């Protein structure tokens, strides 16, 4: 029987403080609430949900997702605006990447307008609070399934 596809949802620095950190921007839901939202949106796929405050650890998990995941949802938080190393790690992935933000960085301070993740993201969901994660996981699941179906079709075409 084929294995259940795995969707990685990786969260960068300070997102462990969701619910208490600048609630006027990020809302009152905690990271555990966001995880529940992601699991509810997974449509049966397995969600691997993690958060770190450390750039190297985030990069190690991106490397892991390259091997283990059918798609990646990434809220890079502050590292999205600063980390060339994160961009380089993401460039090694061939799976769909959905960049996800609770707030809309484009509507905030100028330094948040640059994202090192966006150029390699398949798509971006931002500005909807925790609903961003719901939409991002749904998109990741569908993109992963479309990719798997396309791979099946190409195998069948080769066998025909
Ligand atoms: C964020 C937006 C970033 O600018 C910020 O540094 C974060 C959270 C968001 O989810 O809205 O930490 O990624």
């Amino acid at each position: 029987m084929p294995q259940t596809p795995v969707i990685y949802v990786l969260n960068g620095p300070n997102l462990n403080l969701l619910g208490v950190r600048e609630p006027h921007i990020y809302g009152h839901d905690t990271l555990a609430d966001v995880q529940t939202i992601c699991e509810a949106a997974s449509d049966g796929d397995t969600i691997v949900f993690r958060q770190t405050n450390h750039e190297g650890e985030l990069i190690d998990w991106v490397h892991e997702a390259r091997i283990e995941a059918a798609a990646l949802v990434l809220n890079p938080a502050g590292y999205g605006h600063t980390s060339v190393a994160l961009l380089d790690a993401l460039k090694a992935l061939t799976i769909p990447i959905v960049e996800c933000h609770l707030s809309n960085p484009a509507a905030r301070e100028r330094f948040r307008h640059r994202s090192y993740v966006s150029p390699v993201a398949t798509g971006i969901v931002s500005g909807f609070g925790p609903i961003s994660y719901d939409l991002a996981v749904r998109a990741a699941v569908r993109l992963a399934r479309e990719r798997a179906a396309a791979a099946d079709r190409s195998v069948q075409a080769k066998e025909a």
Side-chain angles (χ1 to χ4, degrees), residues 12-15 18 21-22 25-26 75-81 100-105 108-109 111-112 126-127 133:
N14 304 307
L15 291 170
L18 271 188
R21 170 195 182 206
E22 300 182 275
I25 297 173
Y26 299 115
N75 184 346
Y79 289 141
H81 310 304
C100 175
H101 299 278
L102 295 147
S103 67
N104 176 3
R108 298 179 62 195
E109 305 96 315
F111 65 85
R112 293 185 203 277
S126 66
Y133 281 82

